[in-house]
Amino acid sequence: MKNEDLIKIAIDSMKRAYAPYSGFPVGAVIITKSGKIFTGSNIENSSYGLTICAERVAIFSAISSGEREIEKLVVVADTPEPVSPCGACRQVMSEFGDFEVILANLAGKYIKTRVSELLPYAFKLER
Ligand code: THU
């Protein structure tokens, strides 16, 4: 699937965000190596720290559906430059491999990057 098509799916997901506190909806979509699509949007809470980002909702949806191999993650928000994922999401991404990540905005601008570029020297539980 083309990046532009994935960005459209992420924008649809962004419209389903629950972000009454920040007013900052975010959408995400994952395509797995098996070709399946999983979406996510940010879900906020009146206890602010319980908020979960769109990227993690999409990743957890894919993983809890039994998928383990992520091909690509796309994230979109209404920002002047393509939105950049938070540190917690970068760590969660790194758990599931060094996949491609597309950062986009509503103006159609996007950046292609990957997990190892977003989070170099990621923590791994190695003893
Ligand atoms: N947010 C995301 O969903 N993804 C990011 O990469 C950054 C931040 C959400 C969390 C919160 O609901 C809102 O954006 C403002 O921080």
Side-chain angles (χ1 to χ4, degrees), residues 18-19 22 24 26 41-44 51-55 75 83-86 89:
Y18 176 75
S22 71
F24 188 80
V26 182
S41 51
N42 51 329
I43 304 170
E44 299 186 344
T51 291
I52 183 162
C53 296
E55 297 92 316
V75 51
V83 63
S84 188
C86 81
C89 288

Side-chain angles (χ1 to χ4, degrees), residues 43-85:
I43 304 170
E44 299 186 344
N45 192 275
S46 55
S47 178
Y48 295 173
L50 300 182
T51 291
I52 183 162
C53 296
E55 297 92 316
R56 272 178 288 155
V57 173
I59 292 169
F60 294 160
S61 174
I63 298 304
S64 65
S65 297
E67 297 295 322
R68 291 291 182 272
E69 298 200 310
I70 296 173
E71 173 87 34
K72 196 185 290 195
L73 167 73
V74 178
V75 51
V76 68
D78 187 9
T79 41
E81 293 300 318
V83 63
S84 188

